[in-house]
Each structure stands twice: as structure tokens, then as C-alpha cells.
Amino acid sequence: MRDVNVNAGESGIQRLFVFDKFKLRLSPRLSLFAKRALDILLSLTALLVLIPLIFITSLVLLLIQGRPIFIAHSRIGRGGGMFPCLKFRTMVNNNEALLEKYLADNPAEQAEWAATRKLKNDPRITPFGAFLRKSSIDEIPQLVNVVLGHMSIVGPRPIVPSETVYYGQNYADYIRVRPGLTGLWQVSGRSDADYVKRVQLDALYVANRSLVGDLVIMAKTIPAVLNARGSY
């Protein structure tokens, strides 16, 4: 395993990688092919199963929030290129101006935003949007991103250009892989973890990624989503 700067208190996270010695002995090219094949199979299956939920969610959003139902936010993908990251819309339409004014009027919230790029009491989020975020339903459209090859099921969460400053030299690790629907950050507290920890987790994943590791993270994602810990 490559030595990655993770605090000693993160032994529980590192235990995710005790199976490192049990990695499937695949060539790098075959491993990438297997990961991509698994991404396509799982995302297409999930989209088919979730068609009723996608339809109902879209209808409710149309009735109570109006258009647009979906948003396509520009995020950084593998190799540093940009891609449209899809989500159900959970915010008001003038969210950027509202955030700027809110942070200016609430200096205490600026520290929370700087540390996590999240706000527990985000004024931009609609009531139904809060439910979608808490349940992670808002991210279901990203299964389309996985099918198109923009994302993977497991990997670092996609970031915007303004967040690259938080990664420093670890930005090179981030762009080595496709961003993921889930990853170490999602199963380690999500928004309850500060950005320093998030970057460490991304670097740890990239340094130790394997098909077995991805399956472990997928399995741990289910209780993390059900518990909705750190999801806001």
C-alpha cells in the first residue's frame, strides 16, 4: 500500500483495505475493463429498477418547484476535463446570488462553508430538495453519467474548479480516476467530515483501489444512505 497522510484515528477507514493482499491479480488494463463493465452493468440495472421512482420524483418536482427538474453542473472528471454532472434540482433558481448574500450576512457560516463546502442550514435548498438530499435520491440521475463514462460507481465525489485549491498536490490523484457516485468519503461521514479529511480519503482510495475494494465500499454505502449520516 502507498503511504498516504491519514490521521492515526482513521484506522477504521484503513481497515477497508486489509483485503489489499487478496486483490484479484489482474493486469491494470484488465482491471480497468472489469471496473468499467461493472459500472455499466450496475448503472443500467439500477436505472431500469428505479424508473418508477425517477418518474414520481420528476412529477413532484415539476408540480411544486417548476422547471428545471434536472440540473447539469460542470464538474472536473478524469484527466481534468469538464463534464455535466446530473442531479435532480434541489435548490432555488437564484441559488448563487442567495449563497453570496447569506455568507456575507452570516460570518459564522463562512467558516463552515470554507471547511466543508457545505452548510447544515443551507438557505438555497427547497423543502422537497432537502428530502431528496437526505435520501440521496437527488443523485440518481448521475447513473446516466456512469453509463456515459463521465463517472464510475465508486471514486472521489466530483468537484468544481474552485475546489482544486483544497487538493493541492493530491489533485493529481483526483484526476487519475473517474469521479464516483459513492466512495470513502460517503461511507465515512460525508458532510460531517471536513475538506482536509475528504482529500485524504480520496488520495487513500486512489492509492489502494481495486475491484474488491469497490465492492466493499458499495456494500458500506447502503447503510450509510439509509442512516443518512452527514447528508445535507
Side-chain angles (χ1 to χ4, degrees):
M1 292 174 63
R2 196 181 88 185
D3 184 23
V4 179
N5 182 23
V6 178
N7 295 334
E10 302 302 332
S11 59
I13 295 170
Q14 293 196 45
R15 281 200 295 272
L16 284 172
F17 293 104
V18 296
F19 52 76
D20 188 65
K21 61 184 177 181
F22 301 115
K23 280 184 180 180
L24 297 175
R25 300 303 176 185
L26 301 177
S27 68
R29 180 173 294 184
L30 184 56
S31 180
L32 287 174
F33 175 81
K35 179 177 174 66
R36 180 65 184 141
L38 184 64
D39 281 344
I40 294 173
L41 175 63
L42 292 179
S43 55
L44 285 176
T45 300
L47 282 170
L48 288 174
V49 171
L50 295 172
I51 283 176
L53 178 59
I54 294 171
F55 175 77
I56 292 172
T57 302
S58 299
L59 181 60
V60 172
L61 282 171
L62 180 62
L63 292 175
I64 68 176
Q65 290 185 187
R67 301 178 187 274
I69 295 172
F70 302 96
I71 61 169
H73 202 277
S74 293
R75 300 294 173 109
I76 301 174
R78 186 176 65 171
M82 305 299 293
F83 73 94
C85 186
L86 303 174
K87 292 185 71 173
F88 283 116
R89 182 167 70 88
T90 60
M91 294 184 177
V92 296
N93 283 324
N94 63 332
N95 60 84
E96 291 186 6
L98 183 59
L99 175 63
E100 184 177 348
K101 183 178 186 303
Y102 180 77
L103 292 178
D105 294 341
N106 298 273
E109 303 294 327
Q110 293 180 15
E112 180 185 355
W113 177 256
T116 65
R117 303 293 291 186
K118 299 279 186 177
L119 294 172
K120 288 186 177 180
N121 299 305
D122 196 323
R124 301 171 297 169
I125 300 175
T126 66
F128 188 59
F131 164 74
L132 295 181
R133 284 172 169 249
K134 194 74 173 177
S135 61
S136 295
I137 292 175
D138 65 314
E139 296 175 356
I140 288 177
Q142 288 168 28
L143 290 166
V144 175
N145 287 122
V146 177
V147 174
L148 295 176
H150 301 144
M151 296 177 63
S152 178
I153 297 294
V154 180
R157 283 300 292 161
I159 63 174
V160 297
S162 62
E163 292 175 278
T164 59
V165 65
Y166 295 96
Y167 278 77
Q169 63 181 10
N170 293 120
Y171 177 66
D173 292 313
Y174 171 86
I175 62 174
R176 284 174 59 193
V177 299
R178 289 185 176 93
L181 279 174
T182 186
L184 279 183
W185 180 61
Q186 283 79 357
V187 301
S188 305
R190 296 179 71 175
S191 299
D192 287 340
D194 64 25
Y195 219 104
V196 172
K197 180 178 178 181
R198 174 175 172 175
V199 172
Q200 291 173 344
L201 293 172
D202 286 349
L204 182 64
Y205 170 76
V206 174
N208 298 277
R209 65 192 186 280
S210 71
L211 286 177
V212 178
D214 281 4
L215 292 173
V216 171
I217 291 172
M218 289 178 202
K220 287 180 173 290
T221 298
I222 297 173
V225 170
L226 293 177
N227 292 334
R229 179 184 168 213
S231 179
Y232 50 84

